[in-house]
Amino acid sequence: MAQAAVIKGGIFSDERGSLSFVNDFTFPGVKRFYQIVHPDTSIVRAWQGHKVEQKYFYVPKGKFVLAWVEIDDWNKPSADLKAEYVILKEDEPAVLSIPPGYANGIKALEPGSVLMVYSDLDLQQSGEDRWSFDASLWLDWNKI
């Protein structure tokens, strides 16, 4: 199975301003995108899983922790699965790629943070491939 991966970018600055980029991200198969804005840091959106859907995450403003866990049983996943996470922030451009077979969760670490999400499925297909699990599983969001 494919693994989650961070695709790093960079920032170029001169007298004209700055340009943030992730040149190694090529939008493979992306069919839609959406933006999530978290007004404060108490909101946790977890866990949404997908057997088929590939998702990509980018933070143009603020800072988010993004976590993922490989699901072992979609009807009754083990409570002791090991979640991994990364912190994406606007001043260190990067795209997180989460392949099918994983559940993911997010939490803003700064008020007003913005997260862009790109998907390789249209809205109907994604809705048919959506699995939700309790946010308290696999990660203590308050310790990040």
Side-chain angles (χ1 to χ4, degrees):
M1 175 175 282
Q3 299 293 313
V6 176
I7 305 163
K8 293 187 177 189
I11 298 175
F12 172 80
S13 297
D14 65 15
E15 69 280 354
R16 299 169 292 175
S18 66
L19 178 126
S20 297
F21 57 88
V22 184
N23 290 338
D24 292 331
F25 179 59
T26 60
F27 290 88
V30 170
K31 292 186 178 177
R32 67 186 175 98
F33 73 95
Y34 53 95
Q35 175 178 287
I36 298 171
V37 179
H38 276 199
D40 64 57
T41 59
S42 66
I43 298 167
V44 174
R45 293 173 76 107
W47 293 93
Q48 290 79 45
H50 301 280
K51 287 183 178 181
V52 178
E53 187 174 18
Q54 170 92 29
K55 288 208 172 173
Y56 306 91
F57 300 87
Y58 175 73
V59 176
K61 180 180 178 197
K63 186 187 317 185
F64 271 89
V65 60
L66 294 101
W68 62 92
V69 62
E70 188 173 3
I71 300 300
D72 61 347
D73 180 337
W74 289 92
N75 293 312
K76 189 174 169 130
S78 301
D80 61 351
L81 295 176
K82 182 179 178 340
E84 298 182 67
Y85 69 89
V86 66
I87 295 172
L88 295 184
K89 46 190 168 180
E90 68 180 287
D91 60 352
E92 294 179 9
V95 172
L96 173 64
S97 169
I98 298 183
Y102 288 79
N104 66 77
I106 64 171
K107 180 182 177 188
L109 298 177
E110 295 177 356
S113 292
V114 176
L115 180 66
M116 297 298 300
V117 184
Y118 303 90
S119 168
D120 69 345
L121 295 183
D122 66 32
L123 189 57
Q124 180 178 341
Q125 292 168 321
S126 179
E128 294 168 358
D129 182 42
R130 188 172 192 278
W131 299 75
S132 295
F133 307 104
D134 190 279
S136 65
L137 287 169
W138 307 311
L139 188 67
D140 184 346
W141 294 95
N142 294 317
K143 290 188 177 181
I144 301 173

